Amino acid sequence: IERIVIVGAGQAGFQAAASLREAGFSGSLTLVGEEAALPYQRPPLSKAYLAGKTDARGLLLRQESFFAEHRIDHRSGTRVTAIDRAERSLLLSDGDRLAYDHLILATGTRNRALPVQGADLAGVRQLRSLDDADALRSAIADSHRIVVVGAGFIGLEFAAVCAARGLSVTVIEAAERVMARAVSPETSEAFRTFHEEAGVTFLFGAGVTTLEGEAGRVAAVRTADGQSLPADLVLVGIGVVPNQELAAEAGLTVRDGIEVDAFLATSDPAISAIGDCVRFPSRFAAGMPGGDRVRIESVQNAVDQGRCLAARLTGRPAAYDAVPWFWSDQGPRKLQIAGLAAPGDASVPRRAGAGFSVFRFRDDALSAVESVDRPADHMAARRLLTSAKRLTPEQAADPNFDLKALAT
Ligand code: FAD
């Protein structure tokens, strides 16, 4: 392979480029990204950056000089509009064509739009990119009443930052609890309480039917049960959809994500895909409702898939098998999740001192661990999830049982 082109200059695309050079790839390496900025981290956008505790420079994955030093041709502000698989070339938004020997798709996801009338009013916003975060920082400064639609990670992190500033924040959620798809009822309950103590109001089981405007700006959020909540800023955080159209139009297999095999290859061996945009086979998903293939939205997954693919392309192929893990900072609380839980998995709480963890079991085997201000439990969990040693629910519940000793 002489020429590798990466589409998408986010967490996964950047990692693949950096790891390819680290592994000794000496051919040409092009990283095409539609955003204007150098590759940056998204997690702080809803945390420290939103709160004004770090600046845009602090988000960068590397400074500008890194790209020249490592001969990574970063083409920012450029969108890939089509893949010609027969020619092995790409069409770019600036009219250029770019040839590849191997193509890596790392196109990520985009936010799901709220499918109601008024969703296009001024003051209705989403959070995915640095541009979104900049717009929100100034919108918050002029807002008094904020409504968040969706009690997922981003909605709750945003709510926590706004509540800490003393703003009025109401979170509307269609499900009956916060982070319902991702965590146990016990963890949901704890976070609902944390947020309520910080001044956030929740409406559960509530669907948004209309966003009402005044002179083109959002003024209120109307719910299915007839309530009308005044709002001058609405953040919509109702999940994402994978950017898979480029792959689909090129005839690659897609199904809520670009389908890849255990080695992260698509249905065309000259094209691989990594990060938020892929659906891949995972032993951690065995027994989950969607079968044993998953699409994961996390920094861990983007970084580890970037590394795994770079190793294959430089002659060290290995199936992708990393333990999934994730974190979310909500106000002063840190939630860390290791593994993948299915909604029906049993919950075993473990409490000792500050914080707590909830151990999830599926068919009597540990499936995931949710830790709140318990980093040691989280680190032990990451090891236990791949260890041949079995943790029993009784051991998990016993605060005196030495998790670390079992894990090592
Ligand atoms: P992305 O980082 O989204 O990068 C994809 C890039 O591809 C984008 O820049 C996009 O513009 C570009 N692109 C798409 N199509 C094209 C095209 N045709 N041509 C050119 N460029 C294209 N994860 C955690 O683990 N912990 C957290 O606390 C956390 N917090 C988050 C907070 C926020 C506000 C957000 C938005 C995400 C958060 N995440 C968190 C998720 C994490 O950021 C993602 O999982 C990660 O960025 C995925 O990396 P990726 O490279 O797959 O996609």
Side-chain angles (χ1 to χ4, degrees):
I1 301 175
E2 290 292 315
R3 295 164 300 187
I4 298 180
V5 177
I6 305 171
V7 185
Q11 191 87 51
F14 166 78
Q15 186 64 51
S19 294
L20 277 164
R21 284 296 186 232
E22 208 175 305
F25 175 70
S26 59
S28 91
L29 190 48
T30 310
L31 181 59
V32 187
E34 66 187 337
E35 293 186 74
L38 286 166
Y40 61 92
Q41 316 169 54
R42 294 184 199 283
L45 296 180
S46 49
K47 307 176 181 76
Y49 186 75
L50 190 68
K53 291 179 186 152
T54 183
D55 62 7
R57 232 182 146 64
L59 302 178
L60 297 182
L61 287 162
R62 290 291 186 286
Q63 303 302 318
E64 189 151 20
S65 56
F66 177 88
F67 296 85
E69 280 161 19
H70 291 80
R71 292 188 301 115
I72 298 169
D73 179 10
H74 174 228
R75 302 209 186 171
S76 63
T78 309
R79 191 175 167 77
V80 173
T81 55
I83 305 170
D84 185 334
R85 284 168 56 196
E87 288 282 327
R88 293 208 174 156
S89 71
L90 302 176
L91 190 61
L92 308 184
S93 53
D94 58 13
D96 253 12
R97 272 189 181 273
L98 200 55
Y100 64 83
D101 300 316
H102 197 88
L103 177 65
I104 301 175
L105 299 176
T107 48
T109 57
R110 61 181 178 274
N111 291 320
R112 191 182 293 281
L114 187 64
V116 304
Q117 197 192 332
D120 53 354
L121 287 165
V124 181
R125 300 202 166 269
Q126 300 206 330
L127 179 49
R128 176 88 210 151
S129 66
L130 181 57
D131 289 347
D132 293 336
D134 286 335
L136 277 167
R137 285 221 295 202
S138 53
I140 291 172
D142 298 331
S143 300
H144 304 283
R145 280 179 297 204
I146 295 174
V147 172
V148 176
V149 182
F153 296 110
I154 291 175
L156 293 177
E157 290 178 359
F158 178 82
V161 169
C162 295
R165 293 208 187 174
L167 298 166
S168 150
V169 187
T170 301
V171 178
I172 302 181
E173 167 58 50
E176 294 300 331
R177 57 188 178 92
V178 304
M179 302 179 282
R181 281 187 308 135
V183 303
S184 62
E186 290 79 1
T187 299
S188 290
E189 181 60 19
F191 274 87
R192 181 181 63 83
T193 307
F194 295 154
H195 288 288
E196 284 179 348
E197 284 170 359
V200 175
T201 303
F202 287 98
L203 275 185
F204 291 108
V208 171
T209 52
T210 329
L211 301 182
E212 293 168 348
E214 267 171 33
R217 273 203 70 83
V218 72
V221 179
R222 188 167 283 279
T223 63
D225 58 1
Q227 296 191 61
S228 177
L229 305 167
D232 42 23
L233 175 62
V234 174
L235 179 83
V236 178
I238 55 169
V240 297
V241 287
N243 290 324
Q244 62 184 21
E245 291 74 10
L246 196 59
E249 282 158 19
L252 301 176
T253 309
V254 303
R255 192 172 53 101
D256 181 33
I258 304 167
E259 293 254 356
V260 294
D261 66 14
F263 293 86
L264 308 172
T266 68
S267 47
D268 178 342
I271 307 179
S272 302
I274 53 176
D276 280 16
C277 66
V278 310
R279 177 171 295 277
F280 63 96
S282 170
R283 66 180 159 127
F284 300 100
M288 305 245 315
D292 57 3
R293 299 176 68 84
V294 277
R295 197 171 60 70
I296 296 181
E297 297 149 21
S298 76
V299 168
Q300 169 279 318
N301 188 62
V303 168
D304 287 341
Q305 290 192 340
R307 289 185 179 138
C308 175
L309 177 59
R312 166 158 67 84
L313 296 178
T314 51
R316 288 176 296 121
Y320 178 69
D321 193 34
V323 182
W325 58 265
F326 183 81
W327 79 96
S328 172
D329 299 336
Q330 299 178 25
R333 306 292 175 164
K334 188 171 197 78
L335 170 64
Q336 291 170 293
I337 303 174
L340 294 177
D345 290 1
S347 301
V348 177
R350 175 187 178 95
R351 288 173 199 282
F356 67 92
S357 291
V358 178
F359 287 67
R360 313 290 305 274
F361 288 86
R362 181 155 70 241
D363 303 328
D364 290 330
L366 186 68
S367 58
V369 179
E370 299 152 13
S371 300
V372 182
D373 300 332
R374 298 276 297 171
D377 286 1
H378 175 71
M379 292 313 292
R382 275 157 62 171
R383 276 191 238 106
L384 282 169
L385 284 161
T386 51
S387 158
K389 300 197 189 124
R390 276 178 91 88
L391 177 77
T392 66
E394 294 70 31
Q395 290 168 337
D398 176 1
N400 296 316
F401 179 79
D402 191 344
L403 286 175
K404 199 174 165 195
L406 182 68
T408 44

